[in-house]
Amino acid sequence: MSVFDLEWIGIIITGFATLFLIGEVLVNMRGIFALLGIGFITVYFGAYVETGSFIIMLIIYFVGLLLIIIDGKLLNDGTLATIGLACMLTAVALPAPHLASGLYAVLGVLLGGGASFFFLKVFKRRDMWNKLTLTDQLTKEAGYNSMNQSYEQLLNKVGVTLNDLRPVGTIRIEQKDYSAVSNGQWISKDTKVKVVQVDGTKILVEIING
């Protein structure tokens, strides 16, 4: 009996594949996570997909991953990310020999993708995401004099989110609406937030705990 005959083995392989591939996108691991992720997903498709369909399924999986990256990098509205996730789930579910195996494979992608965000607590975040966290400062000391005084006064004020911040969205402070960004977090609608940083007309907020 081969290990690939086990119905639950898909959750292990697709889980680690997605964990490392998305982890490589989030943190700077110099390609190590990418190689591990590609290795796991190649093993999965190699075990269950016929030679003629191997490349097709691999392309669908990585196109899905690319759409998620584009959404997180440029759009931040969740549309492409949803399509990308659907592509990845379809790619791992179709080759599975049984329904149960397919469900395990799908669950592996979901768990691996979610678990990958724990890498942010351990490793250095990739520079490609810095624009979402206002790393490049437009301070007066750096020679920028276009700081909007009304925005500057928002520092430390409390507001509420008018829609989901993913991580960009709209908040309301003292009956006025502003575009704001969270520190890489998804903050749901009607959540109280505090302005922790103002850079020009860009507002960085975080959830008020308690």
Side-chain angles (χ1 to χ4, degrees), residues 74-95:
L74 300 176
L75 302 181
N76 301 301
D77 66 356
T79 303
L80 288 184
T82 301
I83 297 174
L85 180 60
C87 289
M88 294 176 70
L89 296 180
T90 300
V92 300
L94 288 180

Side-chain angles (χ1 to χ4, degrees), residues 35-179:
L35 290 175
L36 289 172
I38 292 172
F40 275 107
I41 199 63
T42 300
V43 168
Y44 178 80
F45 288 134
Y48 297 120
V49 180
E50 296 181 0
T51 304
S53 303
F54 178 86
I55 299 298
I56 295 176
M57 289 302 173
L58 204 60
I59 290 174
I60 293 174
Y61 181 88
F62 281 104
V63 165
L65 181 63
L66 179 61
L67 290 176
I68 293 175
I69 295 172
I70 293 174
D71 190 286
K73 173 72 173 172
L74 300 176
L75 302 181
N76 301 301
D77 66 356
T79 303
L80 288 184
T82 301
I83 297 174
L85 180 60
C87 289
M88 294 176 70
L89 296 180
T90 300
V92 300
L94 288 180
H98 309 290
L99 176 61
S101 300
L103 292 176
Y104 276 122
V106 166
L107 186 59
V109 171
L110 296 176
L111 292 177
S116 64
F117 287 91
F118 286 103
F119 287 137
L120 294 174
K121 298 181 180 295
V122 180
F123 303 105
K124 180 182 177 181
R125 182 190 296 265
R126 275 194 178 278
D127 292 337
M128 66 183 291
W129 305 111
N130 284 349
K131 74 180 187 70
L132 298 179
T133 55
L134 306 185
T135 301
D136 296 327
Q137 300 295 309
L138 301 180
T139 61
K140 296 175 181 177
E141 292 78 5
Y144 294 92
N145 297 314
S146 60
M147 173 73 78
N148 188 314
Q149 293 299 320
S150 63
Y151 276 74
E152 191 174 22
Q153 294 172 2
L154 295 176
L155 189 62
N156 295 321
K157 288 193 175 183
V158 175
V160 62
T161 56
L162 298 182
N163 51 28
D164 294 341
L165 270 63
R166 300 182 298 184
V168 179
T170 305
I171 64 171
R172 176 167 294 170
I173 300 176
E174 298 177 349
Q175 305 306 313
K176 292 185 178 181
D177 299 344
Y178 301 90
S179 178

